[in-house]
Amino acid sequence: MMSMLTIAMPKGRIFSEAVELLRKSGYKLPDEFDESRKLILTVPEENIRFILAKPMDVGTYVEHGVADVGIAGKDVMMEEERDVFEVLDLKISKCHLAVAGLPDTKMNDIAPKVATKYPNVASKYFREQGEQVEIIHLNGSIELAPLIGLADRIVDIVSTGRTLKENGLVEFEHIADITSRLIVNPVSYRMKDKPIDMLVERLAKTVEEGKEDSD
Ligand SMILES: Nc1ncnc2c1ncn2[C@@H]1O[C@H](COP(=O)(O)OP(=O)(O)OP(=O)(O)O)[C@@H](O)[C@H]1O
Ligand SMILES: O=P(O)(O)OC[C@H]1O[C@H](OP(=O)(O)OP(=O)(O)O)[C@H](O)[C@@H]1O
């Protein structure tokens, strides 16, 4: 009998797309997945246990080995460099990271301020551009910062662009395209190589088929 796999799933907007991808890949996940408030969901028929974490925390569970694999946004992986393998681009929850602000505004020359939920990504980006900025770490509603005079620029996720538009903000620079990734704990990959390889193969096939559909 193969050992049970623990998969860390991100709660929130990625969750339903990730569940759909797993179902399309042949995993029979009970209806309970769509409405439960439980944080651990075991599917004995598939020999898999799912833990439901905050998206920013998935890498923590996988790095510590309490989850063998996990699903995390590339943005999260960029922000918190973790000792995990990124094995597959799941091509779900597409969006991008961008620099935005009020139109026709220049960055303040002396200590321009950048508000973001991604302090590491933002400071690395501006360092590479040779610009010295002050990073202001916020936890959400990032678009508020330039409107209220807290920051000259924001670094945030843009998906439809609706939040920027409705707040009168514009995108200045594109930092990186973002999709969700399958990540694996290095020790688990050695100890549970068979079930993990099977999971990766099945998901990769579905991702590939999805690509053909959208071509
Ligand atoms: N429009 C979007 N806004 C934010 N994240 C998005 C968007 N589209 C896709 N994503 C992906 O979803 C992840 C965030 O999911 P979600 O918004 O549920 O979490 P969160 O922002 O951490 O949650 P919370 O708002 O509860 O703090 C990101 O890491 C990113 O990879
Ligand atoms: O381009 P759009 O489709 O409008 O999506 C982008 C917005 O969605 C996210 O915020 P979220 O809804 O997660 O709220 P938050 O500000 O509390 O993080 C993100 O931080 C942007 O604000």
Side-chain angles (χ1 to χ4, degrees):
M1 165 93 178
M2 285 208 273
S3 48
M4 183 175 267
L5 267 193
T6 300
I7 305 183
M9 298 282 279
K11 290 202 293 184
R13 41 168 47 100
I14 302 177
F15 185 74
S16 50
E17 278 190 78
V19 167
E20 194 190 327
L21 187 69
L22 284 160
R23 285 194 174 126
K24 274 192 194 155
S25 306
Y27 291 93
K28 289 188 186 59
L29 307 181
D31 294 343
E32 190 190 14
F33 263 71
D34 307 297
E35 64 242 31
S36 173
R37 295 283 305 161
K38 281 193 201 153
L39 300 175
I40 302 181
L41 294 164
T42 306
V43 187
E45 306 78 37
E46 299 287 3
N47 212 12
I48 298 179
R49 179 171 67 155
F50 292 89
I51 63 172
L52 275 55
K54 286 290 277 185
M56 276 282 188
D57 295 336
V58 166
T60 310
Y61 290 93
V62 177
E63 185 176 47
H64 286 264
V66 291
D68 302 300
V69 306
I71 293 177
K74 181 69 186 175
D75 50 325
V76 172
M77 302 314 295
M78 286 166 69
E79 180 61 22
E80 327 224 311
E81 286 172 18
R82 297 272 175 202
D83 189 9
V84 298
F85 297 146
E86 191 187 301
V87 295
L88 185 65
D89 183 350
L90 299 171
K91 311 234 169 107
I92 56 169
S93 297
K94 285 195 179 117
C95 52
H96 66 278
L97 271 170
V99 180
L102 285 165
D104 308 318
T105 51
K106 282 213 164 63
M107 282 226 285
N108 200 337
D109 282 345
I110 317 143
K113 293 193 180 105
V114 177
T116 186
K117 211 172 163 174
Y118 302 92
N120 293 328
V121 172
S123 51
K124 181 163 180 264
Y125 178 77
F126 285 103
R127 198 167 52 244
E128 283 169 3
Q129 306 293 307
E131 293 182 66
Q132 214 176 0
V133 302
E134 181 188 337
I135 304 289
I136 299 177
H137 188 186
L138 295 177
N139 292 298
S141 298
I142 315 297
E143 291 80 0
L144 184 57
L147 300 180
I148 205 74
L150 178 65
D152 304 285
R153 292 287 184 267
I154 60 169
V155 166
D156 199 19
I157 294 279
V158 179
S159 173
T160 60
R162 199 175 146 204
T163 310
L164 289 181
K165 192 156 183 262
E166 291 195 10
N167 290 290
L169 300 171
V170 291
E171 186 173 325
F172 291 112
E173 286 150 76
H174 184 288
I175 301 180
D177 286 322
I178 303 295
T179 48
S180 297
R181 310 297 162 107
L182 189 71
I183 58 172
V184 180
N185 173 277
V187 176
S188 297
Y189 217 168
R190 277 208 310 277
M191 310 288 283
K192 302 185 182 180
D193 58 325
K194 283 209 178 65
I196 293 176
D197 279 341
M198 196 170 89
L199 174 73
V200 175
E201 248 171 62
R202 288 167 79 172
L203 287 172
K205 192 161 169 272
T206 311
V207 173
E208 204 45 43
E209 284 165 6
K211 207 178 88 205
E212 281 158 25
D213 288 351
S214 64
D215 281 347

